[in-house]
Amino acid sequence: MTSQLEEGQPRWPVWYGPAAFVSAIIFTLIALSVVHALIVAAGGHVTDNSPGFQLAGTLVQDAFLVGAAVLFASFVAPPRPWQFGLRGAPLGSTAKMAGLAMLAFYLFVAVYIAALHPHGSQSVAKDLGADKGGIDMVLGAVLVVGVAPFAEEFFFRGFFYRALRSRCSVLVAAGIDGVVFGGIHYTDPKVLSLLPILMVLGFLFCLLYERTGTLFATVALHSINNAIAYAGTVDNSAAISIGVGVAVVAGCVLTVRALPRRLTPVEP
């Protein structure tokens, strides 16, 4: 596979990815525990499975994932956006590779479902209260289709995968990244049969990022996939799902065209 990733960027140690991931999860749990304690101390009442708390928890986790990636990257050299894949790329070839990746993914999904007949389903929409409609449905769509794709791609492809590539081959790094990416979506036994699908999705995103060199290709596909899933699981959410998805994809296209493609390698 021809790589479009810059050879001049800092070589993050391979253990930075797992260390940043564990750190983000730990600090997320600590932050949510503190918020919960403060609410209770103030006389309020909140449960861990309430939609508002789940929404806040997801936002906090996404923020800590991005923050952990930037923090650990700074241990080697002052981080720059292009080091995480936030860079331009030829629009035509990038769109072509993205289309091939999405086609490969849905072919795998079709074969997997036909062969194993998985019965699991994710409960993200229900956890966020999106199935009740109203503002929760809108906020859920913005989070699932807009915020999560960028935060997860920034961490898992822009940092975690890139750190693994300092020592591992493309396929090994993509395989490890895919397994961790699928694993983080485990919430209960009902989704266990769906994890291989998410692992393959993460694997293909790594290959797409490796080939195009821009994170915006994977962010766009991630958003499209989440928009389809959200519209399919939340009643009457098709309009908001499509709207947020189109906005994300349009933003990715415009950014890919606007940002420079040639980057200045950093000093070792």
Side-chain angles (χ1 to χ4, degrees), residues 148-171:
F150 179 82
E152 292 180 5
E153 291 308 310
F154 186 91
F155 181 83
F156 285 104
R157 256 58 69 179
F159 179 72
F160 191 93
Y161 169 75
R162 200 67 187 95
L164 292 174
R165 284 285 286 118
S166 66
R167 287 291 184 89
C168 304
S169 66
V170 172
L171 294 181

Side-chain angles (χ1 to χ4, degrees), residues 79-170:
R80 301 289 185 269
W82 63 264
Q83 296 167 1
F84 301 94
L86 303 180
R87 53 165 290 190
L91 184 58
S93 59
T94 300
K96 178 181 178 181
M97 294 304 302
L100 290 175
M102 186 58 78
L103 177 62
F105 172 66
Y106 282 113
L107 285 176
F108 168 79
V109 171
V111 172
Y112 182 83
I113 292 176
L116 301 179
H117 306 288
H119 298 292
S121 61
Q122 288 187 293
S123 60
V124 175
K126 182 179 180 181
D127 294 340
L128 298 177
D131 56 335
K132 299 177 181 178
I135 188 63
D136 288 334
M137 183 180 72
V138 175
L139 292 177
V142 172
L143 176 62
V144 173
V145 184
V147 177
F150 179 82
E152 292 180 5
E153 291 308 310
F154 186 91
F155 181 83
F156 285 104
R157 256 58 69 179
F159 179 72
F160 191 93
Y161 169 75
R162 200 67 187 95
L164 292 174
R165 284 285 286 118
S166 66
R167 287 291 184 89
C168 304
S169 66
V170 172

